[in-house]
Structure formats: structure tokens, C-alpha cells
Amino acid sequence: MALLAKIDDKETIKNVKDFFNNDFERIQRLSKSSINISSPIIDGMPKVQPVNNVNENKYIKAANFRLAFNAVIDAVNDCSDTGRVIIIKRLIQHKPQWQVAQEVQYQSSRYYDYYNDACLEFADNLEYRTAILGDDDLLIDLHAYQD
């Protein structure tokens, strides 16, 4: 793949919308989950040690959700002022298009251009913010690529 592969803008915008409609709230909920720590129970009987540490896996999973959530917030905050307002008001708070258009003070026809630009900008920012985490499991790339 070339450094800057051709992006399918229409599908990428759809992917961003789908991300906020389907994944964002779940990532947000899971990023706030807590893990209960309990002391080991010692009964004096020998036990077979588990192959992997279940609690460690829970900690890692919870930490990854926090990292992913923080990356999404950073990606939103990295957007231009107009893009940030559109992403927050329309895609996170689910306000009607007309209300967001009024808030950013654009006519409907021009608002859609800014909406599309905000989605594309967010997709770029999110890919960058998750890539710098250094874990391929945390990479979120919402881009749709042209063949």
C-alpha cells in the first residue's frame, strides 16, 4: 500500500457515522469499568496454577478500553473548531442536523460539506491517535480504501 492510499470518502464518512452509532458508547462504557481486587484464598490445599493470569488479562483489557476511549477523545479534540463542534453535537450528542448547522452558522447546503470534512478529519485523527499507542489491537482505522 502506498503511503497515502486513495480513500473512498463516501464509505469513510459512513464508517465514522457507524463508529459513533455502534462502537463509541460501548468503548466509553467499558473504559469506565472497574476491576474488583480480592485477596487470594488460602486453604492449605495444593492447587494447579492456571496457565495465564486471569486478573492480569482483565486489567489489560480494561486499560486498553481506557486507552481507546482517550484516543477517541484526543482525535475529536484534534479536529478543527468547526469539525469538533460537528462531531460532538451531531455524532456524540445526536442533535438534529438543522440544529448543528445553526450552531456552526452554515446554511444546509454548506453544512453538509463541513460535516463530510469533519468525518474525514476525525478518521485521520483517530487512525493517528490509535497508531501511536503502538499496539495493533488498538488501531482503529475507519478509512475505506479504493481498489
Side-chain angles (χ1 to χ4, degrees):
M1 175 170 31
L3 180 61
L4 291 175
K6 284 287 196 185
I7 303 289
D8 181 334
D9 290 350
K10 185 176 179 180
E11 284 301 310
T12 298
I13 292 163
K14 181 181 176 291
N15 290 345
V16 169
K17 185 178 176 184
D18 289 346
F19 172 79
F20 280 105
N21 286 336
N22 300 315
D23 301 325
F24 176 69
E25 288 181 8
R26 183 163 186 250
I27 291 171
Q28 183 179 24
R29 279 192 312 275
L30 292 171
S31 74
K32 295 177 181 177
S33 64
S34 61
I35 299 171
N36 294 327
I37 302 173
S38 60
S39 298
I41 298 171
I42 301 173
D43 62 6
M45 298 299 295
K47 303 255 194 272
V48 175
Q49 294 296 323
V51 176
N52 58 9
N53 186 335
V54 176
N55 283 335
E56 181 181 352
N57 292 340
K58 289 178 184 177
Y59 286 120
I60 290 169
K61 193 171 185 176
N64 283 344
F65 279 115
R66 285 187 190 103
L67 287 171
F69 178 72
N70 289 339
V72 173
I73 297 306
D74 289 342
V76 171
N77 287 329
D78 289 346
C79 289
S80 64
D81 291 341
T82 301
R84 185 171 44 254
V85 169
I86 290 171
I87 295 292
I88 291 170
K89 301 289 183 180
R90 179 66 186 135
L91 296 174
I92 296 175
Q93 296 176 352
H94 305 291
K95 290 190 176 184
Q97 297 271 20
W98 66 266
Q99 193 174 359
V100 179
Q102 279 185 336
E103 196 157 330
V104 293
Q105 300 177 351
Y106 290 111
Q107 298 295 327
S108 291
S109 59
R110 192 70 181 122
Y111 165 77
Y112 288 105
D113 293 334
Y114 283 98
Y115 172 83
N116 292 340
D117 290 345
C119 289
L120 295 171
E121 183 180 19
F122 174 78
D124 291 343
N125 293 344
L126 185 61
E127 180 183 14
Y128 169 75
R129 284 295 182 168
T130 56
I132 63 173
L133 295 174
D135 185 342
D136 288 343
D137 290 338
L138 297 176
L139 180 66
I140 303 173
D141 184 3
L142 300 176
H143 295 100
Y145 296 96
Q146 294 179 355
D147 296 328

